[in-house]
Each structure stands twice: as C-alpha cells, then as structure tokens.
Amino acid sequence: MPGQRGDTLLDHAVRYAGERHWDVLPGSWLEIVDGVPRCVCREATCPSPGAHPLRSAWAAETAGSGPGARRLWERTPFASVLLPTGRTFDAVDVPEVAGCLALARMERLDVPLGPVTSTPHGRMLFFVLPGAAAKAPGVIRRLGWSPGALDLTTRGEGDWVAAPPTRVGARGSVQWARRPTAANRWLPDADALLPHLAYACGQEAATSRER
C-alpha cells in the first residue's frame, strides 16, 4: 500500500483501515507556538509530543474501516495516526541499531517479515500476530537471557503505536523501514522473529558494555 507524495494524514488513516484492516485512532498533533512545535495536550513534559491518545477512553474511539476513518479525520484533520495494538497485530519494540542488525539477518535467512517502523527516537517496531506480549518472556528465557536484561519490549492489548507519517515532536516523523505490502499482509508469529531480535539486542548490550 504505497503512499503518494502529498498524501494527508486522513489519506494514510483511510488506507490503513480500508486496505490493511487495521483499527486507527486519531491522536494528538503539533502546533507551532512562538516558532516551536508543541503538543496540543499542553503538557510541558509530554513524553510523545504530537503522537499520543488525547483521552483515557481512547480504545472506544477507533475506526476499523475506510469510511469510519474518514469521518474521524474530517473532524480532526491534523490528528496523528495511531494504531491500537493487541487487535490485528502486536509490535516488538527494539533499539534501532539492534533492529537494523536483526532485519538484515532475517532478510538474509528469508525469515517472513511483516511491516516495520522506524521512529525518530531511535526505535524500530516489528509488526507480528497478536500474542507477542505473552510469548516474549518465555522465548527470551529459553534463549538464555533474562527478559529484563534486554532492551526489548512488546506492544499488545491496551497499547498503541504511531503510524507513518506521524510526526513526533521536533525530531521528525515515524517512517516505514519495511512498508506494508500485499506480500506481508499475513503477519509472522512472534516466535519466528523474537530469537533474531533478542540476539541482536544481546549483541548491542554486549557491545555497549565494552565501550
């Protein structure tokens, strides 16, 4: 589902919901105040400026179809595009360095992959079938690591991820490291990716300790 130059956030939200059948959620956005981009939530210490739900009951404010997404974004055209996890997909969240290492390794080994995002905060998120949050600790322990020792987390039920081209603060926008396509419509199980991602995170942790 390649986008077109000049597409609006509404266009992207409609495609995610209509073509990919992902639930979409309009989130916060950035306003320029005295030349500085600030989140509309007005929180001075906002951890995800311009890219978070605006209400605690956000889980009931999603749309799962193209027409539904269009109605939501026509009311808030500047809203960021958020994707609730734990519904049609979970996401495995790792540092960008480890993510790039794992991505190259998995492509070399022809491991089936789903979409992957890259955030301006230096993270990569690998989309997998729901259930990753429950599986990850056991898989990591079987590989010989303590789950808390690796910089690897999962986004599942009750959580969300920001979708491209959502902008996060002044650092830039979320981008696709691996775009959604017809070939990766069927998402992989977390079991297939976690060993590679955990290994890459372990390698990065070891390298950091040696510096």
Side-chain angles (χ1 to χ4, degrees):
M1 47 174 291
Q4 302 295 320
R5 187 178 296 275
D7 280 354
T8 64
L9 290 164
L10 181 153
D11 294 326
H12 286 275
V14 167
R15 273 202 300 276
Y16 293 145
E19 298 178 17
R20 202 71 183 192
H21 304 298
W22 290 337
D23 283 359
V24 292
L25 168 73
S28 62
W29 60 92
L30 297 171
E31 294 180 327
I32 304 301
V33 180
D34 297 328
V36 178
R38 300 189 186 280
C39 187
V40 294
C41 73
R42 307 295 184 186
E43 291 290 336
T45 58
C46 178
S48 188
H52 63 83
L54 285 168
R55 285 170 283 278
S56 59
W58 60 265
E61 299 175 351
T62 63
S65 68
R70 186 174 298 279
R71 285 192 294 272
L72 288 177
W73 266 266
E74 283 176 346
R75 292 199 292 266
T76 54
F78 300 112
S80 57
V81 183
L82 308 180
L83 306 174
T85 49
R87 299 184 182 186
T88 52
F89 69 88
D90 281 0
V92 183
D93 182 339
V94 298
E96 188 173 49
V97 172
C100 288
L101 175 65
L103 184 59
R105 175 185 172 87
M106 287 188 283
E107 288 177 337
R108 189 168 62 250
L109 296 173
D110 290 326
V111 175
L113 290 163
V116 182
T117 62
S118 177
T119 79
H121 292 94
R123 308 293 296 185
M124 290 179 73
L125 288 88
F126 291 72
F127 288 26
V128 295
L129 289 172
K135 292 180 176 181
V139 172
I140 291 171
R141 288 191 186 95
R142 286 197 297 273
L143 293 168
W145 284 289
S146 165
L150 299 182
D151 187 3
L152 182 156
T153 58
T154 55
R155 308 281 191 93
E157 186 175 357
D159 208 343
W160 50 271
V161 299
T166 292
R167 185 179 175 193
V168 186
R171 297 191 180 190
S173 301
V174 180
Q175 299 180 24
W176 288 114
R178 219 181 137 86
R179 301 179 67 84
T181 65
N184 63 26
R185 178 173 293 277
W186 305 108
L187 297 176
D189 193 282
D191 288 342
L193 273 61
L194 281 168
H196 302 283
L197 293 169
Y199 173 79
C201 288
Q203 291 293 102
E204 187 197 14
T207 300
S208 298
R209 287 194 296 270
E210 292 171 0
R211 287 178 186 149

